[in-house]
Amino acid sequence: MAKAVETVAHSIARKTDAQMMAEAEQFYELMQSRRTVRDFSADPVDPEIIRLAVRAAATAPSGANQQPWAFVAIGDPETKRAIRLAAEEEERGFYKGRAGEEWLGALAHLGTDSDKPFLETAPWLIAIFAQRWGTDSEGRKIKHYYVPESVSIAIGLLIASLHSAGLATLTHTPSPMGFLNQICGRPDNEKPLVLLVVGHPAENTRVPAISRKDEAEVLFWKTAP
Ligand code: IYR
């Protein structure tokens, strides 16, 4: 099949080196100011911000452009309560043994436990589902490619968008979280990847004193001598 082509904005208006530098610096500063929080204010957040953030997320690159994702934005108290109850049930099993000592040791500095009040306090939860396969118009299965990679990139954009809007997020992954399919009414081909908690941080929220790895630990150059 012939491929249809169009022009991208970047090739029309190229930025100068100075502009690129300034924008990269600005974006880095914005991103480095993000912290995961676990205490949320109950203050409402306009659903339009959630909508725009999901639209930004859904611009992510994906395997064969299959866009294998679904986002469920949950704002009603009954559904949030159902999610909290189901998540806490799983988390109790996790903290009481399923995690094992090594995993609990790795988490200890975060001070987390099985109580998840933020699942009710925060104004929004966004459940992100990965479509392991799709279906065509005749209901036949369509193989999807690079699903976790694609959906994870979309989640990164979602978090970046919400942060740039001035909201806090918690990348929550109660394990297992199959209960989200039932509560959100999503089909079996969809696997919940993340339950993103979104809102304003509670007043005087504290976050663990953690640091990010040094550049030299994460960035390795291969350049001509
Ligand atoms: N899902 C649990 C445990 C947990 C696991 C990891 I890895 C974290 O980075 C944080 C928490 C919980 O939310 O408490």
Side-chain angles (χ1 to χ4, degrees), residues 65-207:
N65 191 36
Q66 285 167 321
Q67 305 168 59
W69 41 61
F71 303 84
V72 180
I74 301 137
D76 74 289
E78 296 74 36
T79 310
K80 287 195 289 179
R81 175 143 193 86
I83 288 176
R84 176 182 179 180
L85 293 177
E88 286 183 336
E89 169 97 34
E90 296 295 2
E91 297 287 21
R92 279 192 290 275
F94 174 87
Y95 283 96
K96 281 201 191 123
R98 196 155 17 88
E101 259 173 52
E102 190 177 3
W103 195 346
L104 291 181
L107 283 180
H109 71 292
L110 298 177
T112 54
D113 59 30
S114 58
D115 288 342
K116 305 298 178 193
F118 52 75
L119 292 175
E120 283 191 271
T121 320
W124 292 101
L125 308 175
I126 307 177
I128 300 107
F129 292 85
Q131 295 172 335
R132 288 180 282 216
W133 67 87
T135 39
D136 67 13
S137 51
E138 265 107 64
R140 280 182 302 244
K141 258 193 196 184
I142 297 171
K143 189 168 162 46
H144 279 171
Y145 301 92
Y146 297 100
V147 173
E149 292 85 347
S150 305
V151 185
S152 299
I153 296 168
I155 295 170
L157 294 181
L158 182 62
I159 293 169
S161 168
L162 292 164
H163 176 65
S164 82
L167 292 169
T169 57
L170 164 60
T171 315
H172 187 40
T173 53
S175 163
M177 50 181 161
F179 63 84
L180 284 174
N181 287 74
Q182 192 249 318
I183 295 176
C184 298
R186 299 306 303 173
D188 283 352
N189 65 320
E190 294 188 1
K191 177 186 160 69
L193 272 201
V194 163
L195 180 59
L196 198 70
V197 185
V198 184
H200 293 285
E203 235 171 275
N204 303 318
T205 297
R206 285 166 168 262
V207 292

Side-chain angles (χ1 to χ4, degrees), residues 23-80:
E23 302 219 6
E25 174 75 29
Q26 211 181 347
F27 189 72
Y28 164 68
E29 287 301 337
L30 177 64
M31 288 298 108
Q32 72 79 30
S33 70
R34 186 199 58 79
R35 288 298 310 269
T36 290
V37 309
R38 290 186 168 78
D39 292 307
F40 286 83
S41 151
D43 290 350
V45 165
D46 191 326
E48 211 46 42
I49 298 169
I50 304 299
R51 181 199 308 282
L52 285 166
V54 170
R55 289 183 66 173
T59 67
S62 63
N65 191 36
Q66 285 167 321
Q67 305 168 59
W69 41 61
F71 303 84
V72 180
I74 301 137
D76 74 289
E78 296 74 36
T79 310
K80 287 195 289 179

